[in-house]
Amino acid sequence: MFLSDQTITAIILITLIVDFTMNYVADRLNIGSLTTHLPEKFSDVYDKDRYERSQQYLKATTRLGTITSTIDLGILLVFWLLGGFGVLDHFVRDTGWSIVGRGLLFIGILAGCKFIISLPFSIYSTFVIEEKFGFNKTTPKIFVLDLLKSLIVSLALGIPLLAAIFWFLESTGPWAWMICWGVTTVFILGVQYIVPTWIMPLFNKFTPLEDGELKEKLFAYAKTIDFPLTQIFVMDGSKRSTKSNAFFTGFGKNKRIVLFDTLIKAHTPDELLGVLAHEMGHFKKKHIQRRLIFGILQMGVVFYLLSLFITQQSLFTAFHVDTPSTYAGLVFFSILFSPIDLVISIVMQFFSRKDEYEADRFAALTTQKATALITALKKLSANNLSNLTPHPFYVFLHYSHPPLAQRVEAMERIKGLA
Ligand SMILES: [Zn+2]
């Protein structure tokens, strides 16, 4: 089980390079599978010009992605191999603070650097790429306010959780991993509960859906499938972007369905019913609950493995740090864990795509309006300039939803049955 520092270094180096290469190859294949001819099926929502723009958009975002990941990888390798973690650890130890204070400082500095490195790319993505393709509505003022608010939320949530984890790892002996697992689980459930009412309103305005045909349709439908629908909210997504979406958030009494204002504007009540029926399908088919339980179990395994590695001198030697500590161990372990993370993410995406088909099927069968859902999905993809012909390898690595053409095909088959 216990690995030498050379083995750890090799595992991490190989993972970083394999991961980078795989993503690069997937990107190339994805660009390579763009077709000059607009797929027949989509001629009702795309014209030649829009189709071409969707391809330009894919090229622009892919290019930015490649640059970002190359720079990220380069910085991590240089920092690591030149002994940056050791220097940072000495700096943190020299403060003479308690272990909790030192841990927060260590992780805070790393997170701060990561944030500063990613900032120019995020500015470029919003104000150059999204702007060029006509999506951006974010003003510099909203952008800065968003950054400040996210910073405050991450500090308010992250500091207590990390402080608790360091304290328990430090002082509760062999059961620390179980206690940390329990504490983190309660924390995550608590955050999920307050997200719709406390956190999301910091960023957007949520107004209850106004009375009328749409609301009546949605509530009447919810009744037929026995869905405990109490509130539907409209979110001012148009404040930041012309892209549209709908989602499901919170749980227990705090459960709510949210529609972007941009979505309502562009769709008929029947199409919106299709979209919401899909979201309710995720709930009725227990996808959301299953994902949460899997996430909690996975966290248990991670904390257990962490407890095995965190006392291993070799883990610290591999990162050029001479004295073991829980905080540095946490960071190093999360890097060492990345090959397993990669596999888990691919498996999760696979199941997520299956869930999407199931929710589509649920929506099509229970509303008896498969055509409206098909139109809604097509319009959504045209509005968001989605890639209509992604390469299967790219889908395998990155897609949490099946490619649109396949979703439409699956629903057309259902329509034949229904
Ligand atoms: Zn879905």
Side-chain angles (χ1 to χ4, degrees):
M1 181 80 215
F2 294 111
L3 312 167
S4 72
D5 58 306
Q6 287 98 333
T7 315
I8 291 178
T9 307
I11 291 177
I12 297 171
L13 270 179
I14 292 171
T15 311
L16 289 174
I17 292 163
V18 166
D19 187 28
F20 181 84
T21 314
M22 222 162 57
N23 280 315
Y24 186 77
V25 170
D27 280 346
R28 292 297 108 212
L29 290 173
N30 210 29
I31 298 287
S33 70
L34 290 175
T35 59
T36 43
H37 285 297
L38 168 64
E40 184 69 46
K41 252 195 195 88
F42 296 97
S43 54
D44 51 343
V45 287
Y46 278 83
D47 54 23
K48 199 172 165 300
D49 180 54
R50 178 170 282 273
Y51 187 54
E52 205 171 297
R53 269 208 301 143
S54 80
Q55 306 197 333
Q56 295 303 336
Y57 183 56
L58 179 75
K59 285 181 189 162
T61 48
T62 306
R63 203 175 306 129
L64 181 65
T66 308
I67 296 172
T68 321
S69 53
T70 309
I71 291 180
D72 282 351
L73 178 65
I75 291 178
L76 174 60
L77 287 178
V78 169
F79 186 76
W80 169 26
L81 300 174
L82 291 183
F85 289 108
V87 174
L88 179 60
D89 189 49
H90 274 288
F91 169 75
V92 164
R93 282 178 192 279
D94 287 345
T95 59
W97 293 359
S98 71
I99 183 81
V100 171
R102 273 184 274 151
L104 291 174
L105 186 62
F106 187 84
I107 290 187
I109 291 175
L110 288 176
C113 292
K114 215 175 159 178
F115 169 77
I116 292 168
I117 294 165
S118 70
L119 188 58
F121 299 109
S122 141
I123 293 174
Y124 186 82
S125 163
T126 307
F127 295 106
V128 179
I129 297 185
E130 299 291 300
E131 184 75 38
K132 182 176 162 197
F133 289 91
F135 291 128
N136 185 42
K137 292 278 175 252
T138 311
T139 59
K141 185 182 160 198
I142 297 179
F143 188 84
V144 171
L145 280 176
D146 281 352
L147 285 182
L148 290 175
K149 288 183 222 167
S150 342
L151 183 68
I152 292 168
V153 171
S154 343
L155 291 176
L157 296 175
I159 290 179
L161 178 66
L162 277 176
I165 288 178
F166 293 142
W167 192 83
F168 285 121
L169 283 177
E170 208 58 45
S171 41
T172 47
W175 298 107
W177 71 272
M178 270 199 157
I179 299 173
C180 286
W181 181 23
V183 167
T184 313
T185 301
V186 171
F187 179 85
I188 286 176
L189 292 178
V191 169
Q192 294 245 6
Y193 191 76
I194 62 164
V195 155
T197 41
W198 287 19
I199 297 177
M200 291 168 84
L202 294 175
F203 296 91
N204 281 94
K205 246 210 316 273
F206 291 85
T207 35
L209 179 64
E210 57 186 49
D211 292 331
E213 187 199 349
L214 177 60
K215 190 172 170 182
E216 274 165 33
K217 229 183 221 311
L218 298 179
F219 274 92
Y221 165 76
K223 219 178 202 159
T224 64
I225 58 159
D226 199 22
F227 180 88
L229 183 61
T230 47
Q231 293 166 308
I232 304 170
F233 283 87
V234 180
M235 188 184 109
D236 59 344
S238 57
K239 179 176 159 189
R240 295 191 183 79
S241 171
T242 59
K243 288 186 176 172
S244 51
N245 209 346
F247 61 92
F248 189 94
T249 166
F251 64 91
K253 275 207 181 74
N254 250 1
K255 203 167 31 247
R256 46 171 80 173
I257 278 184
V258 178
L259 294 168
F260 279 38
D261 53 356
T262 41
L263 188 76
I264 296 185
K265 235 173 74 190
H267 292 83
T268 66
D270 271 346
E271 289 164 3
L272 291 168
L273 172 65
V275 173
L276 281 212
H278 170 101
E279 294 304 322
M280 294 186 213
H282 279 308
F283 177 82
K284 291 297 280 189
K285 294 286 176 185
K286 306 219 180 301
H287 299 157
I288 298 167
Q289 298 89 322
R290 227 172 35 213
R291 212 165 297 173
L292 191 64
I293 291 169
F294 182 82
I296 290 171
L297 292 178
Q298 185 192 341
M299 220 161 49
V301 175
V302 172
F303 272 118
Y304 174 69
L305 290 175
L306 170 73
S307 75
L308 298 181
F309 276 96
I310 208 162
T311 48
Q312 293 304 307
Q313 179 64 50
S314 56
L315 178 64
F316 297 87
T317 312
F319 282 93
H320 309 284
V321 166
D322 34 58
T323 325
S325 63
T326 45
Y327 55 82
L330 193 71
V331 173
F332 302 156
F333 176 74
S334 70
I335 301 177
L336 176 64
F337 192 70
S338 50
I340 304 174
D341 240 356
L342 185 68
V343 175
I344 292 177
S345 126
I346 290 174
V347 173
M348 293 288 283
Q349 309 260 40
F350 173 79
F351 283 106
S352 167
R353 290 192 299 271
K354 266 187 69 175
D355 287 351
E356 292 304 323
Y357 281 126
E358 208 182 2
D360 279 346
R361 188 183 167 79
F362 177 90
L365 291 178
T366 53
T367 59
Q368 293 288 315
K369 287 187 171 75
T371 316
L373 179 54
I374 291 175
T375 317
L377 288 176
K378 281 181 168 181
K379 276 183 167 175
L380 252 171
S381 76
N383 179 58
N384 297 353
L385 292 181
S386 310
N387 179 11
L388 294 182
T389 57
H391 189 276
F393 185 57
Y394 191 91
V395 173
F396 171 76
L397 283 186
H398 299 295
Y399 268 45
S400 62
H401 288 56
L404 181 71
Q406 289 167 24
R407 281 177 81 178
V408 169
E409 259 165 44
M411 263 183 299
E412 277 169 348
R413 276 199 298 274
I414 299 168
K415 225 170 66 182
L417 291 174

